[in-house]
Amino acid sequence: AAKLVASSGTALRTPATIARFQQIPAEPGSPQPVFQYFSTLLESGRLNEQESIELAKPVLQQGRPKLMEKWLKDDKLQCSEALGDLIMPSDAGMALSVYLRAECHAKAINCFVQRGEYDKIVPYSTSVGFKMDYSSMLSQLLFNNPQGALDLAKGLVNAEGGPLIDIQSTAEAFLSSNRVQETTAFLLEALKDNKQEHAYLQTKLLEINLIGGAPQVADAIMQNGILTHYDRPHVGKLCEKAGMWQRAAEHYTDINDIKRVFKNSHQMQPEFVVEYFGKLNPEQSIALLKDMLSRGPANVQVCVEVAKKYNDELGAKQLVEVFEQNKAIEGLYFYLGAIVNFSEDAIVHFKYIQASCMLGQFKEAERVCRDSNIYVPEDVKEYLKGAKLPDPRPLIHVCDRFDFVDELTEYLYLNSLLQYIEVYVTKVSPQKTPMVIGKLFDLGANEDFVKRILMAVGTACPVDELVEIAETRNRLRLLQPWLEARVATGSTEPGTHNALGKI
């Protein structure tokens, strides 16, 4: 009977025929008649839609999906939506294969969703020209499978020919479900082209992370520099609220905002602070330095580094004033110390000498006074005299180099620094002893002290000049021991013998 139906073409292959075979009782040890019927049809060709469905029912009930796979592979079954629905509870992959062949697009897409193959939905829909309500699908997925919704949304926004969903609406849908992480991932994908038209969304992306407890994510986004059109002042304020002081500073241009953020400069990296000044104009830089130094010694070191790096741009005069106004003498000392050896600015040399003296760094003050040709001698001399240092060697070098010997002698004598007078004429400039002696005469210095100095200098002191100075002051006799000592050493100088002759 089965062979007769098979050879009849389609005339006898009806639901009624199937029903007849299904009603025939099976003989013991033999397959059911309906299976024999379908086997006979399969040998001669392909089953129609109804036959395929009726065959699938008992095969699936018996748990024999491999048979179904073989028949589908051999194209022995006619695929239909009903056949797919029948297979779906047992095997979504096999059902998908049936839906694809039957061109049941909505059911096929549903299979992709159930299998988690979200990346295949958009390419498939596009290839078959099928339009569907993706927004509804996303809404449903958001509650059941947020990651799946994210994968689908990424595919929809990257579809060929442009996004198939509204970016802002989709982001709001994710946010309404309190899915900050998924919202961030979606917007990063959707905004990767960095378009001006997406400025609001770029701002929103950073905002939800800064406010939503993930500032490190916002920081990474800003660090990568992939978004540039967002509202910078607004994001700057959010960074500030989140305690991200460096990021906040990068977003401000108004000096008042910058000053406010830099109140937390002790929590910034020193390298960042120094480099940041390179973005400011000179006026802003000076204003910010003043503000930082006004808040105590914590900022002095980094301000020194700023001053050293931008000395040429900001000018030594202004920088010196900033340090002095805030009584940051130690900072001034280290700043000027870094540039004094190369600077040709007189104020740099003078202020460095001044700062060295104020901090007790007399060796440095002495070095510059001795070696520098840049400072104004009169200014330095007057400062050193007024400072009344316990160590007058810086003043000695200035006065010796620039012929302020009278003033030096008077200063040392009146300030009871007599040992330094002796040091000066014996170690520094013996040839200037006559001028020193002359001034000591004028000051009414003790004769024994004068004699001791002369004996200490010995033959290094010029005779003629000293004799002339003593003679004009009627003090020639005081030189007698010194002159006799010179003769005793074998001196044959006419001036020495003439002076003794006069005495």
Side-chain angles (χ1 to χ4, degrees):
K3 290 180 179 178
L4 178 63
V5 174
S7 62
S8 71
T10 59
L12 297 176
R13 293 173 64 172
T14 63
T17 302
I18 297 171
R20 292 284 297 275
F21 276 98
Q22 288 173 334
Q23 292 167 2
I24 300 171
E27 295 181 6
S30 301
Q32 293 182 357
V34 73
F35 275 133
Q36 294 181 34
Y37 170 63
F38 287 135
S39 295
T40 302
L41 294 180
L42 287 168
E43 289 173 6
S44 61
R46 184 170 181 258
L47 302 188
N48 62 32
E49 181 178 337
Q50 190 63 37
E51 292 165 346
S52 299
I53 292 169
E54 294 302 328
L55 173 59
K57 288 176 182 177
V59 171
L60 292 171
Q61 285 175 356
Q62 294 172 17
R64 301 168 70 188
K66 293 294 183 184
L67 272 177
M68 295 295 296
E69 283 184 24
K70 180 180 184 307
W71 291 330
L72 284 169
K73 184 178 179 181
D74 295 341
D75 198 26
K76 292 291 188 179
L77 304 178
Q78 183 172 336
C79 294
S80 63
E81 184 173 350
L83 180 61
D85 293 345
L86 195 64
I87 299 171
M88 185 68 181
S90 304
D91 191 328
M94 193 187 302
L96 173 60
S97 175
V98 172
Y99 289 138
L100 290 174
R101 296 187 201 183
E103 298 185 356
C104 299
H105 305 313
K107 293 289 180 73
I109 289 172
N110 186 53
C111 278
F112 285 134
V113 171
Q114 292 205 21
R115 288 163 59 83
E117 296 175 332
Y118 305 102
D119 56 326
K120 295 181 179 179
I121 294 175
V122 175
Y124 173 72
S125 300
T126 304
S127 66
V128 298
F130 180 72
K131 297 189 181 299
M132 63 178 297
D133 186 355
Y134 291 114
S135 298
S136 299
M137 180 181 290
L138 279 172
S139 298
Q140 292 173 2
L141 273 177
L142 267 172
F143 292 103
N144 306 319
N145 188 345
Q147 182 59 45
L150 173 60
D151 292 340
L152 176 58
K154 286 182 176 180
L156 292 168
V157 84
N158 285 322
E160 289 186 25
L164 298 175
I165 49 173
D166 181 72
I167 298 174
Q168 184 171 335
S169 299
T170 305
E172 289 172 353
F174 276 106
L175 272 181
S176 65
S177 298
N178 200 30
R179 294 288 178 181
V180 174
Q181 187 174 341
E182 287 81 3
T183 307
T184 300
F186 168 67
L187 285 175
L188 281 173
E189 185 68 28
L191 305 178
K192 63 186 178 183
D193 292 335
N194 191 28
K195 296 180 180 178
Q196 173 68 46
E197 64 204 61
H198 292 151
Y200 169 78
L201 290 171
Q202 290 186 4
T203 305
K204 193 70 177 176
L205 170 58
L206 294 170
E207 182 182 274
I208 61 175
N209 284 284
L210 288 167
I211 295 176
Q216 69 281 2
V217 176
D219 185 58
I221 294 171
M222 290 182 278
Q223 178 66 33
N224 290 335
I226 53 179
L227 305 178
T228 60
H229 300 295
Y230 57 87
D231 184 340
R232 295 185 68 81
H234 176 64
V235 170
K237 286 184 173 64
L238 294 178
C239 290
E240 196 173 345
K241 288 179 181 177
M244 297 166 58
W245 313 118
Q246 292 185 188
R247 288 288 175 218
E250 289 175 342
H251 288 76
Y252 288 139
T253 55
D254 183 271
I255 189 61
N256 293 318
D257 292 330
I258 295 170
K259 283 182 181 179
R260 185 179 64 252
V261 174
F262 267 74
K263 287 179 180 178
N264 302 282
S265 57
H266 58 285
Q267 295 185 43
M268 299 179 184
Q269 291 294 324
E271 298 81 8
F272 170 83
V273 174
V274 174
E275 291 302 318
Y276 186 82
F277 274 82
K279 303 174 184 177
L280 305 178
N281 61 44
E283 184 180 347
Q284 289 176 319
S285 294
I286 292 297
L288 184 55
L289 276 175
K290 285 181 179 177
D291 194 68
M292 290 176 68
L293 285 170
S294 70
R295 283 183 267 108
N299 290 319
V300 170
Q301 187 173 351
V302 73
C303 288
V304 168
E305 295 305 315
V306 170
K308 284 158 59 175
K309 180 161 186 173
Y310 301 106
N311 176 70
D312 292 343
E313 292 83 354
L314 302 179
K317 183 179 180 182
Q318 285 203 85
L319 289 169
V320 166
E321 287 176 0
V322 170
F323 282 102
E324 287 185 332
Q325 286 169 6
N326 291 282
K327 297 181 174 55
I329 303 304
E330 189 171 346
L332 180 63
Y333 171 76
F334 285 113
Y335 152 55
L336 294 175
I339 65 171
V340 68
N341 293 339
F342 316 101
S343 174
E344 295 187 1
D345 187 341
I347 194 170
V348 169
H349 290 247
F350 173 63
K351 291 295 181 180
Y352 184 61
I353 293 169
Q354 195 176 57
S356 299
C357 293
M358 292 174 75
L359 294 174
Q361 300 292 333
F362 303 122
K363 289 288 184 186
E364 272 300 286
E366 182 184 358
R367 178 183 70 81
V368 178
C369 289
R370 182 187 66 237
D371 299 340
S372 171
N373 294 312
I374 306 299
Y375 61 81
V376 178
E378 186 72 33
D379 293 345
V380 175
K381 177 200 68 176
E382 290 302 319
Y383 165 72
L384 292 172
K385 285 171 64 179
K388 296 189 181 304
L389 304 178
D391 184 342
R393 277 174 287 192
L395 178 64
I396 289 173
H397 285 293
V398 173
C399 293
D400 177 61
R401 291 180 65 198
F402 299 100
D403 294 326
F404 301 128
V405 177
D406 271 12
E407 289 183 67
L408 172 63
T409 306
E410 182 176 7
Y411 174 84
L412 295 175
Y413 182 78
L414 295 179
N415 286 281
S416 301
L417 296 168
L418 303 184
Q419 73 272 29
Y420 284 101
I421 296 177
E422 188 170 340
V423 168
Y424 176 62
V425 296
T426 56
K427 304 289 186 184
V428 181
S429 290
Q431 72 277 12
K432 294 182 181 179
T433 302
M435 288 183 278
V436 173
I437 297 299
K439 190 62 179 178
L440 289 174
F441 285 154
D442 296 342
L443 292 169
N446 181 281
E447 289 188 1
D448 289 339
F449 174 63
V450 174
K451 288 177 182 178
R452 189 174 81 240
I453 287 178
L454 281 172
M455 297 307 289
V457 178
T459 58
C461 174
V463 175
D464 294 338
E465 187 179 349
L466 179 59
V467 169
E468 183 182 349
I469 286 174
E471 203 169 6
T472 57
R473 290 168 174 78
N474 199 28
R475 307 295 290 275
L476 189 58
R477 185 171 295 279
L478 190 143
L479 304 183
Q480 186 172 351
W482 176 71
L483 291 168
E484 289 173 346
R486 289 178 72 93
V487 172
T489 61
S491 172
T492 58
E493 296 168 309
T496 302
H497 292 273
N498 289 343
L500 280 170
K502 289 179 182 179
I503 292 171

